[in-house]
Amino acid sequence: HELLNEVLHDQERRWIEDNGLVRDQYDEAFQASVPVRTNGTLLHTAEAYLAAAEATTDPVWIERAEVMAQFAHRMAAQHDWRLPEYYDDSWAPLSGEPIGLLDGRRVYHGAVTGHALQWTRIALQIRAGLRSLGRSQPDYLSEFALELFERARVDGWRRYDGEPGFATVIDASGNPVLGDIAQYLCGE
């Protein structure tokens, strides 16, 4: 548990922002965070916090994941259930390509279908975690899961050359951003 506790304290010291969301990256000197925030980092951190809650039995990690889900719900609801992928350092959605990411990751030009499906599961897992703690489960968690799943299913499921699969990225109108199909998303 020592290593886990050290990592969780590092989250509290360096990564969790005052609004309960998380920084995406720091510069190479680890002095300043980059001015971009991402939905991908947010959802994977929420997943990690849910795992931390199970490993430590500390409900604070479920509460922190729930703060992230609440933000993602609000953003999805404001964007017809298509979650923006990139935000500025004050968590306002970016309209163009993110500037400042240092790790060479792929840049998506729209809403990521797999991230919508992952948030669906995370919302339901948070709801179950809150219920197991004897706490109320906010109604938005069910709405979030249902609406994201339905939007990802309707927008994302496609057939290309006779082969079924999810489009990786969807534009603001619900059309696939052509390029590739990600069959692995079925596992999300």
Short mmCIF file of all heavy atoms in Angstrom, two decimals, residues 104-131:
data_model
loop_
_atom_site.label_atom_id
_atom_site.label_comp_id
_atom_site.label_asym_id
_atom_site.label_seq_id
_atom_site.Cartn_x
_atom_site.Cartn_y
_atom_site.Cartn_z
N GLY A 104 3.18 13.88 -27.94
CA GLY A 104 3.05 13.33 -29.28
C GLY A 104 1.83 12.45 -29.50
O GLY A 104 1.76 11.69 -30.46
N ARG A 105 0.86 12.53 -28.61
CA ARG A 105 -0.34 11.70 -28.76
C ARG A 105 -1.13 12.08 -30.00
O ARG A 105 -1.00 13.17 -30.53
CB ARG A 105 -1.21 11.80 -27.53
CG ARG A 105 -1.96 13.12 -27.43
CD ARG A 105 -2.83 13.22 -26.22
NE ARG A 105 -2.01 13.44 -25.04
CZ ARG A 105 -2.49 13.69 -23.85
NH1 ARG A 105 -3.79 13.73 -23.65
NH2 ARG A 105 -1.69 13.88 -22.83
N ARG A 106 -1.97 11.17 -30.41
CA ARG A 106 -2.87 11.42 -31.54
C ARG A 106 -3.84 12.52 -31.15
O ARG A 106 -4.37 12.55 -30.03
CB ARG A 106 -3.62 10.13 -31.84
CG ARG A 106 -4.62 10.30 -32.93
CD ARG A 106 -5.36 9.01 -33.17
NE ARG A 106 -6.36 9.23 -34.19
CZ ARG A 106 -7.19 8.32 -34.59
NH1 ARG A 106 -7.15 7.11 -34.07
NH2 ARG A 106 -8.08 8.58 -35.52
N VAL A 107 -4.12 13.41 -32.10
CA VAL A 107 -5.09 14.47 -31.89
C VAL A 107 -6.36 14.10 -32.64
O VAL A 107 -6.33 13.79 -33.83
CB VAL A 107 -4.54 15.83 -32.37
CG1 VAL A 107 -5.62 16.90 -32.31
CG2 VAL A 107 -3.33 16.23 -31.54
N TYR A 108 -7.47 14.10 -31.92
CA TYR A 108 -8.77 13.78 -32.52
C TYR A 108 -9.45 15.06 -32.97
O TYR A 108 -9.40 16.07 -32.28
CB TYR A 108 -9.66 13.05 -31.50
CG TYR A 108 -9.08 11.75 -31.02
CD1 TYR A 108 -8.46 11.65 -29.77
CD2 TYR A 108 -9.15 10.61 -31.81
CE1 TYR A 108 -7.94 10.45 -29.33
CE2 TYR A 108 -8.63 9.41 -31.38
CZ TYR A 108 -8.03 9.33 -30.13
OH TYR A 108 -7.51 8.14 -29.70
N HIS A 109 -10.15 15.00 -34.09
CA HIS A 109 -10.85 16.16 -34.62
C HIS A 109 -12.36 15.96 -34.49
O HIS A 109 -13.09 15.93 -35.48
CB HIS A 109 -10.41 16.42 -36.07
CG HIS A 109 -8.96 16.73 -36.17
ND1 HIS A 109 -8.02 15.77 -36.44
CD2 HIS A 109 -8.29 17.88 -35.97
CE1 HIS A 109 -6.82 16.32 -36.44
NE2 HIS A 109 -6.95 17.60 -36.16
N GLY A 110 -12.81 15.80 -33.27
CA GLY A 110 -14.22 15.60 -32.98
C GLY A 110 -14.38 14.84 -31.68
O GLY A 110 -13.44 14.70 -30.89
N ALA A 111 -15.58 14.34 -31.46
CA ALA A 111 -15.89 13.57 -30.25
C ALA A 111 -15.45 12.12 -30.46
O ALA A 111 -15.70 11.53 -31.50
CB ALA A 111 -17.39 13.63 -29.96
N VAL A 112 -14.82 11.55 -29.45
CA VAL A 112 -14.29 10.18 -29.54
C VAL A 112 -15.35 9.19 -29.05
O VAL A 112 -15.77 9.24 -27.89
CB VAL A 112 -12.98 10.04 -28.73
CG1 VAL A 112 -12.45 8.62 -28.81
CG2 VAL A 112 -11.94 11.04 -29.23
N THR A 113 -15.78 8.32 -29.95
CA THR A 113 -16.84 7.35 -29.63
C THR A 113 -16.46 6.48 -28.43
O THR A 113 -17.27 6.26 -27.54
CB THR A 113 -17.12 6.47 -30.86
OG1 THR A 113 -17.44 7.31 -31.97
CG2 THR A 113 -18.28 5.53 -30.60
N GLY A 114 -15.24 5.99 -28.41
CA GLY A 114 -14.81 5.13 -27.30
C GLY A 114 -14.83 5.84 -25.97
O GLY A 114 -15.15 5.23 -24.93
N HIS A 115 -14.53 7.14 -25.96
CA HIS A 115 -14.58 7.89 -24.70
C HIS A 115 -16.02 8.02 -24.21
O HIS A 115 -16.27 7.96 -23.00
CB HIS A 115 -13.92 9.24 -24.87
CG HIS A 115 -12.43 9.16 -25.01
ND1 HIS A 115 -11.65 10.24 -25.30
CD2 HIS A 115 -11.57 8.11 -24.90
CE1 HIS A 115 -10.38 9.87 -25.35
NE2 HIS A 115 -10.32 8.57 -25.13
N ALA A 116 -16.96 8.19 -25.12
CA ALA A 116 -18.37 8.23 -24.72
C ALA A 116 -18.78 6.90 -24.08
O ALA A 116 -19.44 6.87 -23.04
CB ALA A 116 -19.26 8.55 -25.92
N LEU A 117 -18.36 5.80 -24.69
CA LEU A 117 -18.71 4.48 -24.15
C LEU A 117 -18.03 4.25 -22.80
O LEU A 117 -18.63 3.67 -21.89
CB LEU A 117 -18.35 3.39 -25.15
CG LEU A 117 -19.13 3.43 -26.46
CD1 LEU A 117 -18.57 2.43 -27.45
CD2 LEU A 117 -20.62 3.21 -26.22
N GLN A 118 -16.81 4.72 -22.65
CA GLN A 118 -16.12 4.58 -21.36
C GLN A 118 -16.82 5.40 -20.27
O GLN A 118 -16.98 4.93 -19.15
CB GLN A 118 -14.66 4.99 -21.48
CG GLN A 118 -13.82 3.94 -22.19
CD GLN A 118 -12.39 4.42 -22.36
OE1 GLN A 118 -12.13 5.37 -23.10
NE2 GLN A 118 -11.48 3.77 -21.67
N TRP A 119 -17.21 6.63 -20.59
CA TRP A 119 -17.91 7.44 -19.61
C TRP A 119 -19.25 6.80 -19.21
O TRP A 119 -19.68 6.93 -18.06
CB TRP A 119 -18.15 8.86 -20.13
CG TRP A 119 -17.05 9.82 -19.82
CD1 TRP A 119 -16.27 10.49 -20.70
CD2 TRP A 119 -16.60 10.24 -18.52
NE1 TRP A 119 -15.37 11.29 -20.04
CE2 TRP A 119 -15.55 11.16 -18.70
CE3 TRP A 119 -16.99 9.91 -17.22
CZ2 TRP A 119 -14.89 11.76 -17.63
CZ3 TRP A 119 -16.33 10.51 -16.15
CH2 TRP A 119 -15.29 11.42 -16.36
N THR A 120 -19.88 6.11 -20.15
CA THR A 120 -21.12 5.40 -19.83
C THR A 120 -20.88 4.41 -18.69
O THR A 120 -21.61 4.39 -17.69
CB THR A 120 -21.63 4.66 -21.08
OG1 THR A 120 -21.98 5.62 -22.08
CG2 THR A 120 -22.83 3.81 -20.76
N ARG A 121 -19.83 3.61 -18.84
CA ARG A 121 -19.51 2.64 -17.79
C ARG A 121 -19.09 3.32 -16.50
O ARG A 121 -19.51 2.92 -15.40
CB ARG A 121 -18.40 1.70 -18.27
CG ARG A 121 -18.04 0.65 -17.23
CD ARG A 121 -16.81 -0.15 -17.58
NE ARG A 121 -15.67 0.64 -17.98
CZ ARG A 121 -14.87 1.31 -17.15
NH1 ARG A 121 -15.12 1.33 -15.86
NH2 ARG A 121 -13.84 1.98 -17.61
N ILE A 122 -18.28 4.36 -16.59
CA ILE A 122 -17.81 5.06 -15.40
C ILE A 122 -18.98 5.65 -14.62
O ILE A 122 -19.03 5.56 -13.39
CB ILE A 122 -16.79 6.15 -15.78
CG1 ILE A 122 -15.49 5.49 -16.27
CG2 ILE A 122 -16.51 7.08 -14.61
CD1 ILE A 122 -14.55 6.47 -16.97
N ALA A 123 -19.93 6.26 -15.32
CA ALA A 123 -21.10 6.85 -14.65
C ALA A 123 -21.87 5.78 -13.88
O ALA A 123 -22.27 6.00 -12.73
CB ALA A 123 -22.01 7.53 -15.67
N LEU A 124 -22.05 4.62 -14.49
CA LEU A 124 -22.77 3.54 -13.81
C LEU A 124 -21.95 2.98 -12.65
O LEU A 124 -22.50 2.62 -11.60
CB LEU A 124 -23.14 2.44 -14.80
CG LEU A 124 -24.12 2.88 -15.89
CD1 LEU A 124 -24.32 1.75 -16.90
CD2 LEU A 124 -25.44 3.35 -15.29
N GLN A 125 -20.64 2.93 -12.80
CA GLN A 125 -19.78 2.44 -11.72
C GLN A 125 -19.78 3.42 -10.54
O GLN A 125 -19.80 2.99 -9.38
CB GLN A 125 -18.35 2.24 -12.25
CG GLN A 125 -17.44 1.53 -11.27
CD GLN A 125 -16.07 1.24 -11.87
OE1 GLN A 125 -15.85 1.38 -13.07
NE2 GLN A 125 -15.15 0.85 -11.01
N ILE A 126 -19.78 4.70 -10.82
CA ILE A 126 -19.87 5.70 -9.74
C ILE A 126 -21.19 5.55 -9.02
O ILE A 126 -21.25 5.56 -7.79
CB ILE A 126 -19.70 7.13 -10.31
CG1 ILE A 126 -18.27 7.35 -10.79
CG2 ILE A 126 -20.08 8.18 -9.26
CD1 ILE A 126 -18.08 8.62 -11.61
N ARG A 127 -22.25 5.41 -9.79
CA ARG A 127 -23.59 5.23 -9.20
C ARG A 127 -23.63 4.02 -8.28
O ARG A 127 -24.13 4.08 -7.16
CB ARG A 127 -24.61 5.09 -10.34
CG ARG A 127 -26.02 5.28 -9.94
CD ARG A 127 -26.91 5.38 -11.19
NE ARG A 127 -28.23 5.73 -10.79
CZ ARG A 127 -29.09 4.89 -10.22
NH1 ARG A 127 -28.74 3.65 -9.99
NH2 ARG A 127 -30.28 5.29 -9.86
N ALA A 128 -23.06 2.90 -8.74
CA ALA A 128 -23.02 1.69 -7.92
C ALA A 128 -22.15 1.89 -6.68
O ALA A 128 -22.50 1.42 -5.59
CB ALA A 128 -22.49 0.52 -8.75
N GLY A 129 -21.04 2.60 -6.83
CA GLY A 129 -20.17 2.87 -5.69
C GLY A 129 -20.87 3.71 -4.64
O GLY A 129 -20.77 3.43 -3.43
N LEU A 130 -21.58 4.74 -5.07
CA LEU A 130 -22.32 5.58 -4.13
C LEU A 130 -23.41 4.78 -3.43
O LEU A 130 -23.61 4.91 -2.22
CB LEU A 130 -22.92 6.79 -4.86
CG LEU A 130 -21.91 7.82 -5.37
CD1 LEU A 130 -22.61 8.83 -6.27
CD2 LEU A 130 -21.21 8.51 -4.21
N ARG A 131 -24.10 3.93 -4.19
CA ARG A 131 -25.14 3.09 -3.59
C ARG A 131 -24.55 2.15 -2.55
O ARG A 131 -25.11 1.98 -1.47
CB ARG A 131 -25.89 2.30 -4.67
CG ARG A 131 -27.04 1.46 -4.09
CD ARG A 131 -27.86 0.71 -5.11
NE ARG A 131 -27.09 0.22 -6.23
CZ ARG A 131 -27.36 0.50 -7.51
NH1 ARG A 131 -28.40 1.23 -7.82
NH2 ARG A 131 -26.62 0.00 -8.46
#
